[in-house]
Amino acid sequence: MAPSRSSAPAQPMPRLYLATPALDDTAAFAASLPPLLTACDVAAVLLRLNEADERTLTSRIKTLAGPVQAAGTALLVEGRQSLAVRGGADGVHIEGLEQMEDAASLKPQRIVGVGQLHTRHDAMLAGERGADYLLFGEPSRNGERPSPEAIFERLQWWAELFEPPCVGYAATLEEATLFAGSGADFIMAADFIWNDARGPKAALEEAQAAIRARFEATFNAAAGQVTRS
């Protein structure tokens, strides 16, 4: 089991983890992404790719790796462990415990994040097996998700007890705001950013501002209570 956080210093504000749409043309996307990474505090980008042959996929990863890493942001690839290495990505995001053994060879040089952990027991096993972060709340393979309240509870439970970072998958701005008060280390913003009629930059800036406001309201208030006591 991972070490306790009970003696940890002041709670840091969760950072954004931006998941791309499922892409075919990463060249066009690579040109539009740097302004987003400059405007907001994006710790990592998760690259989601549509199917293609291995050579094409590797080229698409390489196309995005340069601009993302130049902005000081980590690039992770959804699945495709061997291609992520060839493409120069910083790591991979995998699904479930069964894929962790295959991804073990990537560590410690690259990040291995894990999602699709549907029970507390699975989450603890992933932490024990060396996951660099755990993602909670993403849709299952059939599109189902827990309620936002259940995701918040899982994030809060993990953040209070375990060392590896946790990520909350936010399907909406409201969920991103809610999860900012859970103690999560990162909040994954995905489709609601790209689907916003104002454009992704405005949507991402709004999400960051909402996360900051909720975080400060939650944890500054808690710090004040501790000081007064």
Side-chain angles (χ1 to χ4, degrees):
M1 185 177 295
S4 170
R5 294 190 181 196
S6 59
S7 59
Q11 176 74 32
M13 189 177 84
R15 301 183 69 193
L16 287 163
Y17 185 174
L18 183 61
T20 74
L23 295 175
D24 291 309
D25 182 7
T26 53
F29 198 80
S32 64
L33 192 57
L36 298 182
L37 305 182
T38 301
C40 296
D41 179 27
V42 180
V45 170
L46 177 63
L47 175 57
R48 304 189 289 191
L49 292 166
N50 285 323
E51 291 298 328
D53 62 87
E54 290 193 356
R55 182 175 180 179
T56 298
L57 290 172
T58 302
S59 176
R60 289 173 180 169
I61 295 168
K62 287 180 178 178
T63 298
L64 207 58
V68 171
Q69 293 165 345
T73 302
L75 178 69
L76 283 79
V77 179
E78 188 175 64
R80 312 182 192 279
Q81 291 100 306
S82 62
L83 301 185
V85 174
R86 289 184 229 164
D90 297 286
V92 296
H93 177 81
I94 59 175
E95 296 185 348
L97 296 170
E98 64 276 7
Q99 294 186 16
M100 289 195 70
E101 185 173 349
D102 292 337
S105 62
L106 301 182
K107 293 174 61 64
Q109 290 82 8
R110 287 178 169 81
I111 300 164
V112 176
V114 186
Q116 298 296 341
L117 302 166
H118 302 300
T119 68
R120 291 190 177 197
H121 180 67
D122 284 352
M124 288 189 286
L125 286 176
E128 289 173 354
R129 294 177 187 180
D132 290 299
Y133 70 78
L134 281 70
L135 175 66
F136 298 121
E138 77 277 28
S140 66
R141 293 175 182 86
N142 60 8
E144 296 179 351
R145 299 177 69 225
S147 69
E149 293 75 21
I151 299 167
F152 178 94
E153 184 275 335
R154 185 60 55 87
L155 290 166
Q156 190 175 57
W157 163 75
W158 185 268
E160 288 178 351
L161 295 176
F162 303 103
E163 189 65 25
C166 61
V167 184
Y169 180 98
T172 64
L173 175 63
E174 292 74 21
E175 288 186 6
T177 305
L178 174 66
F179 299 159
S182 69
D185 300 275
F186 304 93
I187 294 175
M188 182 177 284
D191 294 345
F192 79 94
I193 297 296
W194 312 112
N195 296 336
D196 195 299
R198 300 168 300 168
K201 183 172 181 287
L204 198 62
E205 288 176 335
E206 182 180 41
Q208 180 164 277
I211 288 167
R212 179 180 297 277
R214 176 60 183 266
F215 171 81
E216 291 178 349
T218 301
F219 291 100
N220 286 355
Q225 291 174 359
V226 170
T227 300
R228 288 192 296 273
S229 63

